[in-house]
């Protein structure tokens, strides 16, 4: 299982997901930008703007070269020749009743043989419905449990901690799973880790289809659209202030337009916005906490 | 000149500026939120939403207490008891033809007598007009020159370097002046530094009035409004990714709503937006460079 095999599989995943998302959207078609990284490697950035998805990015990249000193120090790795490949997705739907979804699967290797996988899937509903959240987490748990009993409990907590908007004291959404540095600890092999990561990648479409199907036909109001724009503002805050992946990309002179494809088309900020007691918006804020057992 | 005197003067500056901005706006009135900082001190956050100013924040704060270890290390100061006071302003006008303006003046002191002033004024026109930019920089130079011949040349370059959106390879706007750690180096006294900072504070209203007067009566189009929203997206990117003041505030558990009052009411992101050759938007991008001598 070489790094080239892994990159090839990720590339195929990007193709499959794009095809499925076009079918799901019904109208939007992906546009592709191929890019080269000056330091080595490159990627395929794909953007869709359709009927269901107001803006969605599905990115593949496989890059290599010298790691900047500060990044090598942050990652605590001595070797500075690296290879990194992955698929990264953020979808911003038109409807405020359909959640934002994010997925990332990635593989990292250094020239002296250190390697690991990372990734995850998390959901950011503008309005949280515990029934939908339960289904989402059940599906993720199913995917995890097929590979190791510890995965879901551990990666669920990790997602709660990672997707946390510290300055707002709220989670970005209802979490999901997040994992990093999955290497050959505890008897795992490269194959067994990769099998799990493949399963996560393959879970993306069925899990999002289900969330869309449950909500796409519900009509929405102007008030709900405004709330969506405010929640998108929080999404922007998380990604630009706290997200390590975004920071890594911007620090290593990654392709800005690909990294910031996670930004929503429109976001609003309202000073000191506090939804009234008894509203759906207020109820959603009550769900943006760590440690909720959705299942 | 005690720290209390300085805080009192800053508070008066906030009052004066708010009064002048209400007169300039003609309709909007400031609303005030007083807040206390759990670790010590507090502030007065003031917000205006009017005819000229879509959203503007004029904040005063005077806080004190223990400095978190990571901040003390970043500031390279041994003493961990601090006092900080300042006024911070960001105005987002309705019209895309009127520039965004930002001002900050601040004073910092530790319990063993280390102290400094910092601050600056910078302008972010959605459309850059070199005539307006020249007047803006001339006024700043006049303010600086009255205090020291080195101030303007040094602080102008500092602003170019500070207000730089690195991942976009563009400046936030046309710069202005930026300075920090103005202490008793080079024979300056607390009084002479404070005199300069007061002059900067007092320059804010006349300098912005002039920029408004030159542009407020020009009608604007839907296309110009869209461009404004994209430029505001860049403003968000700078403030959340690169601005040390925002980072300091969020890291020290400052009042989030006051810190993020710099966010625009609405911002847009358009994938890979590149204005056509020969347009005013393209021309503006050409001006978002370091090292332009506007005067």
């Amino acid at each position: 299982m070489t790094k080239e095999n892994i990159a090839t599989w990720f590339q195929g995943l990007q193709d499959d997901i794009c095809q499925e998302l076009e079918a799901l959207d019904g109208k939007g078609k992906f546009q592709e930008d191929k890019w080269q990284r000056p330091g080595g490697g490159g990627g395929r950035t794909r953007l869709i703007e359709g009927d269901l998805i107001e803006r969605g990015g599905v990115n593949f990249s496989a890059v290599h070269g010298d790691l900047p000193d500060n990044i090598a120090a942050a990652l605590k790795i001595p070797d500075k020749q690296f290879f990194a490949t992955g698929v990264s997705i953020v979808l911003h739907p038109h409807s405020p009743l359909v959640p934002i979804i994010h997925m990332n699967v990635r593989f990292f290797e250094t020239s002296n043989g250190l390697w690991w996988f990372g990734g995850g899937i998390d959901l950011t509903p503008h309005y949280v419905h515990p029934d939908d959240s339960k289904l989402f987490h059940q599906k993720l748990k199913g995917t995890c449990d097929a590979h190791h009993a510890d995965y879901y409990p551990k990666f669920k907590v990790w997602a709660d901690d990672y997707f946390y908007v510290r300055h707002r004291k709220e989670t970005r959404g209802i979490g999901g799973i997040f994992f990093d540095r999955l290497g050959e600890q505890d008897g795992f092999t490269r194959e067994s880790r990769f099998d799990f990561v493949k399963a996560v990648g393959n879970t993306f479409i069925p899990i999002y289809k289900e969330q869309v199907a449950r909500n796409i036909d519900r009509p929405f109001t102007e008030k709900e659209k405004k709330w969506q724009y405010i929640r998108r503002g929080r999404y922007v805050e998380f990604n630009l202030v706290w997200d390590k992946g975004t920071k890594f990309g911007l620090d290593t002179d990654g392709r800005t337009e690909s990294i910031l494809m996670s930004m929503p088309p429109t976001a609003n900020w309202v000073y000191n916005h506090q939804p009234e007691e008894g509203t759906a918006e207020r109820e959603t804020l009550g769900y943006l906490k760590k440690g909720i057992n959705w299942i």
Side-chain angles (χ1 to χ4, degrees), chain A:
Chain A
M1 184 56 59
T2 65
K3 60 183 188 294
E4 288 80 11
N5 296 146
I6 295 168
T8 302
W9 192 87
F10 282 159
Q11 214 162 352
L13 179 68
Q14 183 196 31
D15 288 336
D16 293 347
I17 286 176
C18 288
Q19 198 179 335
E20 294 272 10
L21 285 178
E22 285 185 355
L24 184 65
D25 189 89
K27 184 182 166 207
K29 298 285 170 202
F30 277 95
Q31 305 207 343
E32 179 176 280
D33 278 338
K34 284 201 173 76
W35 52 271
Q36 301 277 315
R37 181 173 169 276
R44 303 191 308 199
T45 288
R46 291 193 188 154
L47 175 88
I48 187 168
E49 294 178 329
D51 265 358
L52 161 68
I53 304 167
E54 187 173 349
R55 168 151 350 120
V58 179
N59 294 323
F60 163 79
S61 65
V63 300
H64 58 89
D66 293 322
L67 215 53
D69 287 346
N70 55 332
I71 304 288
L75 291 173
K76 292 176 187 146
I77 53 174
D79 200 305
K80 288 177 186 163
Q81 286 281 317
F82 80 103
F83 171 87
T85 183
V87 173
S88 212
I89 305 175
V90 174
L91 306 180
H92 287 284
H94 276 286
S95 168
L97 307 183
V98 174
I100 306 165
I101 193 164
H102 163 245
M103 184 195 82
N104 175 248
V105 285
R106 59 184 182 276
F107 173 74
F108 183 91
E109 192 178 56
T110 69
S111 47
N112 66 352
L114 186 67
W115 62 268
W116 64 76
F117 288 94
I121 299 182
D122 75 290
L123 198 72
T124 306
H126 310 93
Y127 290 90
V128 175
H129 298 291
D131 287 354
D132 292 353
S133 308
K134 182 180 176 175
L135 285 173
F136 177 75
H137 275 273
Q138 273 176 336
K139 282 243 158 46
L140 288 178
K141 185 172 185 300
T143 302
C144 289
D145 286 354
H147 291 83
H148 200 288
D150 292 346
Y151 276 176
Y152 177 76
K154 196 173 163 195
F155 300 162
K156 192 271 182 197
V157 170
W158 206 338
D160 278 357
D161 288 338
Y162 186 84
F163 297 107
Y164 187 64
V165 191
R166 217 192 79 185
H167 61 277
R168 298 290 189 179
K169 296 187 173 57
E170 60 188 40
T171 52
R172 182 166 83 171
I174 59 153
I177 56 171
F178 181 90
F179 50 89
D180 201 8
R181 296 219 172 200
L182 298 191
E184 50 200 348
Q185 316 93 327
D186 308 322
F188 284 100
T189 63
R190 196 149 155 147
E191 280 63 36
S192 65
R193 294 296 200 185
F194 189 31
D195 282 346
F196 168 63
V197 168
K198 284 197 270 195
V200 171
N202 289 330
T203 299
F204 177 78
I205 284 291
I207 215 167
Y208 195 54
K209 260 187 171 167
E210 181 176 60
Q211 295 291 321
V212 170
R214 292 173 65 89
N215 294 289
I216 190 64
D217 292 330
R218 296 166 55 211
F220 56 85
T221 63
E222 195 56 33
K223 188 188 171 212
E224 288 164 332
K225 196 72 192 161
K226 275 188 183 157
W227 175 248
Q228 178 185 38
Y229 289 152
I230 294 172
R231 296 313 306 167
R232 285 176 172 180
R234 302 294 169 95
Y235 209 86
V236 168
E237 290 177 23
F238 175 80
N239 286 19
L240 297 184
V241 177
W242 301 110
D243 185 47
K244 291 190 185 81
T246 302
K247 192 170 166 43
F248 177 87
L250 298 178
D251 277 354
T252 52
D253 294 322
R255 183 173 182 266
T256 294
E257 286 294 341
S258 302
I259 299 164
L260 295 186
M261 208 181 243
S262 60
M263 295 292 104
T266 299
N268 284 356
W269 279 267
V270 174
Y271 174 70
N272 215 10
H273 185 74
Q274 291 175 349
E276 282 171 43
E277 285 283 357
T279 60
E281 291 79 11
R282 182 69 161 253
E283 195 187 336
T284 282
L285 289 186
Y287 286 124
L288 301 179
K289 309 280 178 218
K290 295 185 185 187
I292 296 176
N293 179 355
W294 296 101
I295 296 174

